[in-house]
Amino acid sequence: MEKICFIIAMHAEAQPLIERYGLQHIQDYFGELPTELYRGVINGKELNIVLNGRMNGLDLIGCEAATLTTEAAIMRLRPDILINAGTCGAFKSKGAAIGDVYLSNGPVMFHDRRVGEEGGWHDMGVGNYPTADARQMAKDLGLKLGKCTTGSSLDMTDTDLNIILREGGELKDMEAGAIAYVASLHKVPLICVKSVTDLVDGGRATEEEFHENLHRSSAALKDACTKIVQYLMTEQPTLF
Ligand code: SAH
């Protein structure tokens, strides 16, 4: 792997990794877009972290920003692999705990794009865009595996929950589905790395729990991402 590109939504999620590798902010790399590039050369190989950027001082989160970021990153950087690193909600009932780090397992679904009950339009709504096969990597690095499910809200309605349970979703976020869509169009392999900030069935208010754990989960995310970078730069993993 000569060129790795991380796509990350929030500065708090990215900062530990940026500091770990001493990456440089390349000012105005993406012109008028809010997208931000942090770059470094590690053992002769290029490490890029691309962030959605900010609006009114807040990190841009969600699918629209993630779509734009991924398209711009692929077109400008031509990475060998994309890694979407971020935080997520997960299910206590499925064995998740705060600070656990997961790799994506199988395609990424959407849980809030409802178009009928079945058929082609329904399937388009659910998305299920492919990710690279990270099972061996998860085993080698001691990380868990889970199916990513994306929506446009931090909270979860009963309808969302029913769809997540029906379709087998495990890791709830706001960007992975959009990133997987764009990556699949360009045939760039994608792995999602998700660190749990909140338990969606834990009985606590998501936003409060998210804030309480963001720092700790971002540190766990950095540790996992460091192992992944090392792995990708030294091993020749089979990802397809
Ligand atoms: N209110 C927060 C905004 C963060 S939104 C703040 O003030 O900082 C949550 C971000 O973390 C999104 O980028 C999303 O991908 C991820 N995330 C973490 N837990 C989530 C959950 N339970 N549901 C959806 N997204 C979640």
Side-chain angles (χ1 to χ4, degrees), residues 9-10 13 58-62 86-90 111 151 153-155 172-176 194-195 197-198 200 206-207 210-211 214:
M10 300 182 69
E13 295 164 333
L58 298 175
D59 293 314
L60 284 157
I61 54 169
T87 56
C88 71
H111 54 256
S153 300
L154 181 60
D155 69 5
K172 179 175 177 285
D173 86 335
M174 297 175 66
E175 292 89 14
K194 298 283 163 177
S195 177
T197 42
D198 52 274
V200 296
T206 301
E207 193 161 5
F210 172 84
H211 276 288
L214 179 60

Side-chain angles (χ1 to χ4, degrees), residues 155-167:
D155 69 5
M156 183 173 68
T157 65
D158 287 345
T159 311
D160 294 341
L161 175 61
N162 288 335
I163 293 170
I164 290 172
L165 294 178
R166 191 180 70 210
E167 305 284 337

Side-chain angles (χ1 to χ4, degrees), residues 223-235:
D223 290 342
C225 289
T226 305
K227 288 199 250 173
I228 291 167
V229 168
Q230 175 78 12
Y231 189 82
L232 290 174
M233 286 186 170
T234 53
E235 309 276 326

Side-chain angles (χ1 to χ4, degrees), residues 72-159:
I74 292 175
M75 295 308 283
R76 290 291 307 275
L77 299 169
R78 297 287 173 193
D80 296 314
I81 187 164
L82 285 176
I83 301 173
N84 168 218
T87 56
C88 71
F91 290 84
K92 199 169 79 172
S93 58
K94 294 187 180 186
I98 303 292
D100 279 356
V101 182
Y102 286 81
L103 298 184
S104 43
N105 193 16
V108 185
M109 59 170 280
F110 281 96
H111 54 256
D112 64 357
R113 299 201 308 192
R114 299 177 303 280
V115 191
E117 293 296 316
E118 56 188 39
W121 293 107
H122 164 271
D123 294 348
M124 190 193 293
V126 177
N128 271 330
Y129 303 113
T131 59
D133 185 350
R135 286 175 296 182
Q136 187 61 46
M137 188 192 287
K139 206 175 194 177
D140 292 345
L141 300 181
L143 299 170
K144 293 181 155 190
L145 283 164
K147 181 175 171 72
C148 296
T149 181
T150 297
S152 292
S153 300
L154 181 60
D155 69 5
M156 183 173 68
T157 65
D158 287 345
T159 311

